[in-house]
Amino acid sequence: MTLTATAQKGAPVKPSAARRAWRTVSPYTYIAPFFTLFAAFGLFPLLYTAYVSLYRVELQTPGDMRWRGLGNYTALFTDELFWTALRNTFTIGVLSTVPQLVMALGLAHLLNYRLRGRTFFRTVMLLPYATSVAAATLVFAQLFGRDFGLVNHLLGVAGLGPVDWQTGTLASQIAVSTIVVWRWTGYNALIYLAGMQSIPAELYEAAEMDGASRWRQFVHVTLPGLRPTIVFTTVVSTIGATQLFGEPLLFEGSVSGGISHQYQTLGLYLYEQGWGFFHLGRAAAVAWVMFLLILVLVGVNALLVRRRSRKEAGR
């Protein structure tokens, strides 16, 4: 056997063109189902909503579309109820997000210690999240009842007068925010707990050797280690607060958010425009305003986090 034949025999066999093409294309076939579903149920509805927002479309005659351009947005920004819904969304978002995340952080800090029955307490904290929003809201609507509600009964025992939780502006917003806090505090607490358990124990040991108290360990070790987790929960809670719909809808069973729209959110306002007044074009405009509002809030949050990171890196 000649040297050339031996070299040809030991040389690696080159794959065919079809096999090379398959190796190039095959990774995309595994992710194609996700992008197909996303395009059909995510991207297309988003773009079509933007298209509909430029037309006058009524629910009774969806095929009759008349060009309005930015007329729906102009009518939206001149509607006093839109600004009321925007203000209510912001107020309820602050009243529900801030206490929710603070309480979740405290509960996670307590569960991070070696307590008896930790698994039981973690499961109990997740139960409100697993509860149906309809069931939870109906129960809280009874608790915040004006005449026979348990909350007003406890206020009476404490020597305070009853509160009209469904008519008062601030009172109704606090009641709706309480439902959100009850449902999502345990969920965020478990996320914080997972983040705390990923912090190296050596950092706590070093801080303890330096004489740091439990509080100083929490401030200087736990919080910096949880910063990415806190940013994540803040962003998710902000998005959820902007899209709040079920709790204010079922609290009194009114799309208008109370007799004076005192707790009508942007989600309820969208539903009222589209399925109450049959203005699908204006409802689509509301949906896009909410989408852009979420982008702005998330962008501002990311900008603040980046600026803080640069300041700490420059120290």
Side-chain angles (χ1 to χ4, degrees):
M1 184 177 294
T2 62
L3 181 61
T4 304
T6 304
Q8 291 178 352
K9 185 177 180 180
V13 180
K14 294 183 178 180
S16 62
R19 184 177 294 273
R20 290 197 303 269
W22 170 248
R23 288 180 179 178
T24 304
V25 175
S26 60
Y28 297 98
T29 61
Y30 293 106
I31 62 176
F34 166 77
F35 285 101
T36 302
L37 293 175
F38 172 75
F41 300 101
L43 185 60
F44 173 75
L46 182 66
L47 297 179
Y48 187 72
T49 301
Y51 171 76
V52 172
S53 68
L54 302 177
Y55 287 84
R56 177 184 178 91
V57 187
E58 301 298 325
L59 184 62
Q60 303 94 326
T61 56
D64 184 14
M65 303 178 64
R66 301 179 183 178
W67 174 259
R68 289 200 64 188
L70 299 178
N72 287 325
Y73 294 92
T74 304
L76 194 65
F77 293 138
T78 56
D79 187 3
E80 184 180 354
L81 294 180
F82 167 76
W83 296 106
T84 300
L86 180 62
R87 184 173 60 252
N88 293 340
T89 301
F90 176 78
T91 305
I92 295 176
V94 173
L95 291 175
S96 60
T97 300
V98 176
Q100 172 193 151
L101 298 183
V102 172
M103 292 172 60
L105 192 60
L107 289 174
H109 184 62
L110 292 176
L111 290 177
N112 196 31
Y113 291 105
R114 297 183 178 276
L115 300 176
R116 292 183 179 180
R118 286 184 300 173
T119 304
F120 171 76
F121 289 115
R122 294 173 186 176
T123 305
V124 169
M125 282 200 308
L126 199 59
L127 287 179
Y129 171 71
T131 305
S132 168
V133 60
T137 305
L138 292 176
V139 170
F140 273 89
Q142 298 297 321
L143 293 176
F144 285 103
R146 182 184 61 182
D147 299 323
F148 304 103
L150 179 61
V151 176
N152 277 342
H153 174 72
L154 295 178
L155 291 178
V157 173
L160 302 175
V163 178
D164 193 351
W165 297 101
Q166 294 183 341
T167 304
T169 300
L170 182 59
S172 60
Q173 293 179 1
I174 291 176
V176 173
S177 302
T178 303
I179 306 173
V180 180
V181 171
W182 181 81
R183 290 194 69 240
W184 291 96
T185 298
Y187 174 82
N188 288 310
L190 292 183
I191 294 180
Y192 286 149
L193 179 61
M196 289 178 183
Q197 292 180 345
S198 65
I199 300 175
E202 293 80 5
L203 297 179
Y204 291 100
E205 294 175 358
E208 188 174 358
M209 291 179 62
D210 291 339
S213 61
R214 287 286 180 88
W215 172 249
R216 296 185 65 87
Q217 292 179 26
F218 176 76
V219 173
H220 297 287
V221 178
T222 304
L223 290 182
L226 281 180
R227 183 169 301 157
T229 308
I230 294 175
V231 172
F232 169 76
T233 54
T234 302
V235 170
V236 173
S237 299
T238 302
I239 295 175
T242 307
Q243 299 176 337
L244 193 63
F245 177 76
E247 290 84 351
L249 173 65
L250 298 173
F251 182 65
E252 195 183 6
S254 173
V255 180
S256 60
I259 57 176
S260 58
H261 302 268
Q262 68 269 17
Y263 59 90
Q264 184 183 47
T265 60
L266 286 176
L268 282 182
Y269 181 77
L270 183 154
Y271 187 88
E272 184 181 42
Q273 292 295 320
W275 283 263
F277 301 146
F278 310 125
H279 303 322
L280 293 183
R282 188 175 296 186
V286 178
W288 256 87
V289 169
M290 292 174 61
F291 175 70
L292 295 177
L293 179 62
I294 290 174
L295 290 182
V296 170
L297 292 176
V298 173
V300 170
N301 193 4
L303 182 62
L304 293 176
V305 172
R306 183 177 300 179
R307 181 174 300 180
R308 183 180 179 85
S309 299
R310 287 179 180 177
K311 287 183 179 180
E312 293 184 351
R315 290 179 181 177

